[in-house]
Amino acid sequence: MGATSGLGRGVALGLLAEGYIIGVCGRRKEALDEIKAIAPDKVFTKVIDVTKEEAPSLLMELIGEMGGMDLYFHSSGYGKQNMALDLSIEKQTVLTNSYGFVQMVVTAFNYFKAEKRSGRIAVISSVAGTKGMGSAPSYSATKRLDWTYIEALAQLAHMQKLDIKFTDIRPGFVATDFIAGESYPMTMQTDYVVKHILKAVRKGKRKVIIDWKYRIMCFNWRHIPSCVWERLRIHN
């Protein structure tokens, strides 16, 4: 989900190269068709906007066309720096990263549950969920929601004795269209991050921060008291 550009496209191509039959989803049909053209017999496509009410039924249609699903990979996301608190940016961020995230992950969860089959739900969240960031309030808040929601579903799966596993992937800044035109510290190249994502999924990691620099940063951030954090000036 979210395969039309950036990390989602990179992961889709990586899984295809590993021999997966893949279903690719996103809002831009032409971008999906480009992936299908690489291996028409192994790629299924469906135009899906995760913020729309029909998105879950469209995902189920795609799963049916493919003949089943073993891995659901969610890479759809939105966010911008928004110190002016432009409400349209905050709304789109919440719709995509919270409402859209929840309804698609729930659809995947319920599919595995109804079919009584094992499966994995892997999502790209962000290191931004570590702390509330004044430069991007809704983005950091929604990414923390993603963390917590996956944690809750992992517990629910255990409670219901379901063989559903989860992978929460938390990258730092990546050189994709997502941050095009802006300057960020410790920016990583897409291919590098995709390689680590595929490794995490392949090894069945529960959660992973990409990469070591961000692991150190997040460790330090978590130990900053709120009274200090709220006085820091953190932006790009």
Side-chain angles (χ1 to χ4, degrees), residues 20 28 37 45 103 218:
Y20 277 74
R28 294 187 291 119
T45 67
Q103 74 167 350
C218 290

Side-chain angles (χ1 to χ4, degrees), residues 74-201:
H74 192 94
S75 180
S76 180
Y78 180 85
K80 292 183 178 181
Q81 290 198 82
N82 191 22
M83 288 186 283
L85 289 183
D86 181 329
L87 192 55
S88 65
I89 294 175
E90 300 296 271
K91 179 180 179 180
Q92 186 61 43
T93 305
V94 171
L95 280 174
T96 304
N97 299 351
S98 296
Y99 175 69
F101 177 91
V102 167
Q103 74 167 350
M104 303 318 296
V105 168
V106 164
T107 301
F109 184 98
N110 286 338
Y111 165 77
F112 290 130
K113 180 178 179 178
E115 293 295 314
K116 296 181 173 61
R117 65 187 294 167
S118 61
R120 178 169 298 276
I121 296 174
V123 304
I124 294 182
S125 58
S126 171
V127 297
T130 307
K131 286 280 192 179
M133 300 178 66
S135 58
S138 59
Y139 186 74
S140 55
T142 55
K143 291 304 177 179
R144 187 56 172 251
L145 178 145
D146 296 349
W147 290 14
T148 306
Y149 203 80
I150 290 300
E151 183 177 55
L153 290 190
Q155 185 184 74
L156 181 61
H158 181 75
M159 291 164 61
Q160 297 181 347
K161 296 181 170 56
L162 303 174
D163 190 14
I164 305 174
K165 301 299 189 294
F166 298 86
T167 299
D168 180 1
I169 300 153
R170 304 173 184 178
F173 297 124
V174 186
T176 66
D177 293 342
F178 197 70
I179 62 170
E182 299 189 53
S183 175
Y184 289 86
M186 301 192 297
T187 299
M188 300 175 289
Q189 294 305 306
T190 303
D191 290 347
Y192 173 80
V193 177
V194 166
K195 180 182 71 173
H196 282 272
I197 291 173
L198 293 172
K199 181 180 179 181
V201 172

